[in-house]
């Protein structure tokens, strides 16, 4: 081999490895630009307005009155004291408001779909449309918070749960409208289409805080961060095990800090998205970016997922110091297909402790083998300091396309103690492995006898 060419290869590999060290300075710079909400000093207590925490009286009129009073005062804190408050309908935020759910308090939403009409502008699995209102909905708001040590119960395990088997017609119609660029005003769903609402959605909002509350029993996705930025989610916990109960879904979201969260979800813990197919590609100027996930406990289907709806692109994601407290199907999962387009790049994952999974680290550009014409770019992904006790299927999976390979993948200090299949790599280039152990570590070779 030509010496100069060999030197070039070694230099390139060294430069790539150096670039893919976990960029702590970049993380710090993102945290520094995230702003916490500024809430005026005015306070209103829903019980003093007449709300009864008896679990049967409808408290929605009093929550609506509290929000209206805050709007009149240009913001404030709505205090929810101890008790169980039934709401026959959604909470719609205004700017500069903190919904403080005190310890011993529970907001319990009705599960009557008609309570969440009229429809609002929202998104459903990556397509913008009009649908049932999310249970807690903030649209075009700034400086908003949900805090306290109380519980938000979405009552999603009864009526809403039956919608899953009936959603096919609405789901397919939404995707047809996406692909054919149907005007937004004509995308009306709601009754008869069975598309479940999100539990909490922040849409076109900024300076958001969700802190310490417990989220239970969502109808659909739990916390949806849609076209929003400057977001802090910390110290919250979950017990939400219904269909599609993703914990946190940033979508077209920017500058997001997720930390000290205890997940227990019926689906992905964190699923980073950026629109679906035609609509997502048309919004390529607003990728999901600058997302930090740290010091979290994972439990559910998958730990951290990027995709599959990511057509506007996902970049600059930093995951560190997380562990599992139970079974996960997959630890870290990057997924897209040939319908999506867009990109996944600059993903850094370090110091992750996994117990038993099906697959430990999984990157695929061919999710479900679907699509054609819009292959995604996947590049610059770094995994380091990751341990896993058992992978019942595969330790590491990398899947690109022959004409669009996934590239620049760094795997450093990975230990998977037991795996049915160690590594499956197809159509991947510039993959660097250093200190990677799958199965029992090899020692010095035995001598011939």
């Amino acid at each position: 081999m030509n010496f100069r060419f060999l030197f070039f290869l070694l230099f390139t590999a060294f430069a790539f490895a150096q670039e893919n060290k976990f960029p702590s300075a970049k993380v710090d710079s993102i945290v520094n630009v995230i702003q916490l909400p500024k809430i005026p000093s005015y306070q209103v207590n829903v019980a003093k307005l007449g709300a009864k925490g008896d679990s049967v009286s409808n408290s929605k009129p009093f929550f609506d009155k509290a929000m209206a009073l805050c709007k009149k005062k240009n913001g404030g804190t709505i205090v929810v004291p101890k008790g169980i408050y039934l709401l026959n309908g959604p909470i719609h935020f205004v700017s500069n408001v903190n919904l403080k759910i005190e310890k011993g308090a529970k907001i319990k939403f009705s599960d009557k779909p008609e309570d969440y009409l009229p429809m609002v502008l929202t998104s459903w699995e990556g397509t913008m449309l009009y649908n049932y209102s999310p249970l807690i909905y903030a649209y075009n708001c700034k400086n908003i918070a949900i805090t306290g040590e109380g519980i938000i119960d979405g009552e999603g395990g009864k009526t809403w749960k039956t919608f899953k088997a009936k959603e096919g017609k609405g789901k397919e119609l939404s995707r047809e409208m996406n692909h054919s660029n149907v005007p937004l005003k004509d995308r009306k769903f709601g009754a008869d289409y069975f598309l479940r609402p999100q539990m909490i959605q922040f849409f076109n909002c900024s300076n958001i805080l969700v802190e310490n509350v417990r989220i239970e029993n969502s109808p659909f996705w739990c916390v949806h961060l849609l076209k929003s930025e400057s977001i802090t989610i910390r110290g919250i916990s979950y017990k939400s095990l219904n269909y599609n109960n993703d914990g946190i879904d940033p979508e077209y979201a920017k500058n997001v800090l997720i930390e000290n969260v205890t997940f227990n979800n019926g689906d992905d813990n964190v699923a980073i998205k950026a629109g679906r197919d035609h609509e997502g590609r048309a919004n390529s100027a607003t990728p999901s970016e600058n997302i930090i996930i740290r010091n979290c406990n994972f439990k559910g289907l998958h730990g951290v997922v990027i995709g599959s709806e990511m057509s506007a692109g996902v970049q600059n994601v930093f995951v560190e110091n997380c562990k599992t407290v139970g079974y996960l199907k997959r630890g870290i999962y990057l997924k897209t297909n040939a319908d999506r387009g867009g990109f996944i790049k600059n993903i850094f994952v370090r110091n992750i402790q996994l117990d038993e999974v099906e697959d430990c680290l999984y990157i695929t550009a061919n999710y479900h083998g679907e699509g054609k014409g819009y292959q995604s770019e996947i590049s610059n992904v770094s995994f380091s300091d990751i341990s896993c006790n058992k992978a019942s299927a595969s330790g590491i999976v990398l899947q690109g396309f022959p004409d669009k390979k996934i590239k620049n993948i760094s795997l450093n200090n990975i230990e998977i103690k037991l795996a049915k299949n160690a590594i499956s790599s197809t159509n991947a280039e510039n993959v660097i492995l250093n200190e990677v152990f799958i199965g029992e570590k090899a020692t010095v070779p035995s001598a011939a006898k």
Side-chain angles (χ1 to χ4, degrees):
M1 178 181 289
N2 181 282
F3 176 78
R4 290 184 179 179
F5 181 65
L6 176 60
F7 177 79
F8 173 77
L9 286 179
L10 291 173
F11 178 80
T12 301
F14 174 78
F16 172 64
Q18 291 297 106
E19 288 173 2
N20 280 268
K21 287 184 177 179
F22 195 90
S24 297
K26 174 67 173 176
V27 170
D28 292 342
S29 70
I30 294 169
V31 171
N32 288 338
V33 302
I34 295 174
Q35 297 182 45
L36 291 172
K38 297 177 181 177
I39 308 295
S41 60
Y42 174 73
Q43 290 196 358
V44 57
N45 186 308
V46 293
K48 292 181 179 179
L49 293 178
K52 296 179 180 179
D54 59 7
S55 80
V56 292
S57 303
N58 179 23
S59 292
K60 178 171 166 55
F62 307 104
F63 278 71
D64 290 347
K65 184 176 181 180
M67 195 67 72
L69 288 169
C70 284
K71 184 176 182 180
K72 186 176 180 181
K73 296 284 188 178
N74 197 32
T77 297
I78 298 172
V79 178
V80 183
K82 185 177 180 180
I84 301 174
Y85 298 86
L86 174 66
L87 269 68
N88 292 337
I91 295 172
H92 284 187
F93 262 86
V94 298
S95 291
N96 308 316
V97 170
N98 174 18
L99 177 65
K100 184 179 181 182
I101 308 166
E102 294 187 333
K103 187 174 183 178
K106 177 189 283 191
I107 296 174
K108 183 176 181 180
F109 287 94
S110 80
D111 66 347
K112 296 178 181 177
E114 59 270 24
D115 288 343
Y116 302 90
L117 297 172
M119 292 183 288
V120 300
L121 181 61
T122 182
S123 171
W124 207 87
E125 290 195 346
T127 298
M128 301 300 301
L129 46 74
Y130 288 87
N131 193 33
Y132 294 110
S133 172
L135 280 55
I136 297 178
Y137 180 66
Y139 179 60
N140 282 342
C141 293
K142 187 175 182 178
N143 296 321
I144 48 179
I146 303 172
T147 67
E149 298 180 62
I151 298 170
I152 305 170
D153 183 347
E155 196 66 13
K158 298 176 184 176
T159 302
W160 293 120
K161 193 171 184 178
T162 68
F163 276 31
K164 175 68 174 178
K166 307 171 189 177
E167 71 184 20
K169 178 179 74 169
K171 178 192 289 188
E172 292 308 311
L173 180 59
S174 74
R175 294 177 182 177
E176 289 172 16
M177 289 178 166
N178 179 322
H179 294 160
S180 56
N181 201 24
V182 170
L184 187 56
K185 64 181 178 62
D186 298 325
R187 302 182 187 185
K188 303 289 179 66
F189 288 79
D192 302 323
Y193 286 98
F194 302 101
L195 301 183
R196 290 159 290 153
Q198 297 86 351
M199 184 134 158
I200 300 169
Q201 184 181 86
F202 303 103
F203 181 4
N204 278 345
C205 296
S206 62
N207 301 354
I208 299 163
L209 172 66
V210 183
E211 184 175 43
N212 294 339
V213 294
R214 182 171 177 84
I215 294 171
E216 298 182 349
N217 210 12
S218 175
F220 188 54
W221 295 354
C222 295
V223 180
H224 188 196
L225 311 174
L226 178 62
K227 297 187 177 184
S228 294
E229 64 178 296
S230 195
I231 302 163
T232 303
I233 300 179
R234 62 190 181 199
I236 69 173
S237 63
Y238 288 87
K239 185 179 180 181
S240 198
L241 304 174
N242 297 314
Y243 298 124
N244 307 111
N245 276 189
D246 293 0
I248 303 170
D249 293 82
E251 182 167 19
Y252 304 112
K254 182 178 181 180
N255 296 338
V256 181
L257 173 61
I258 298 167
E259 64 180 354
N260 302 316
V261 174
T262 300
F263 292 97
N264 184 10
N265 295 82
D267 212 305
D268 303 335
N269 288 176
V270 179
I272 302 171
K273 301 177 180 294
R276 185 184 189 94
D277 299 349
H278 172 84
E279 187 172 290
R281 295 190 295 271
N283 284 282
S284 60
T286 54
S288 285
E289 61 183 344
N290 301 345
I291 297 170
I292 300 160
I293 303 161
R294 64 190 185 188
N295 304 324
C296 293
N297 293 324
F298 296 139
K299 185 178 182 181
L301 183 65
H302 304 127
V304 175
V305 178
I306 299 176
S308 68
E309 306 96 326
M310 42 57 67
S311 300
V314 176
Q315 63 187 359
N316 304 338
V317 176
F318 310 90
V319 185
E320 63 175 329
N321 304 332
C322 297
K323 63 182 181 179
T324 57
V325 292
Y327 173 80
L328 291 177
K329 185 177 177 70
R330 295 189 177 96
I332 309 295
Y333 190 19
L334 280 58
K335 57 179 181 176
T336 176
N337 63 33
D339 272 341
R340 298 288 184 262
F343 56 81
I344 299 172
K345 63 184 180 181
N346 303 336
I347 313 300
F348 298 86
V349 182
R350 75 166 178 182
N351 195 19
I352 307 297
Q353 299 175 31
L354 304 172
D355 185 16
E356 182 174 347
V357 298
E358 184 173 310
D359 306 297
C360 182
L361 307 174
Y362 204 118
I363 302 175
T364 180
N366 194 27
Y367 178 58
H368 285 174
E370 295 175 345
K372 61 180 180 179
Y374 296 98
Q375 297 172 357
S376 305
E377 173 197 340
I378 303 178
S379 62
N380 301 343
V381 181
S382 172
F383 298 110
S384 62
D385 304 314
I386 294 171
S387 65
C388 177
N389 286 328
K390 179 181 179 182
S392 62
S394 297
I396 299 168
V397 179
L398 309 174
Q399 297 174 339
F401 289 102
D403 55 342
K404 200 174 187 74
K405 296 180 180 180
I406 63 175
K407 59 187 179 181
N408 299 348
I409 312 297
S410 173
L411 298 156
N412 183 61
N413 193 23
I414 313 293
E415 182 175 6
I416 303 168
K417 293 180 180 178
L418 180 66
K420 181 179 179 182
N421 300 304
I423 299 178
S424 174
S425 180
T426 308
N427 299 315
E429 66 180 15
N430 200 15
V431 178
I432 297 176
L433 286 77
N434 179 54
E435 301 288 331
V436 175
F437 305 97
I438 302 177
E440 188 174 331
K441 289 184 181 181
T443 58
V444 296
S446 59
K449 295 183 179 179

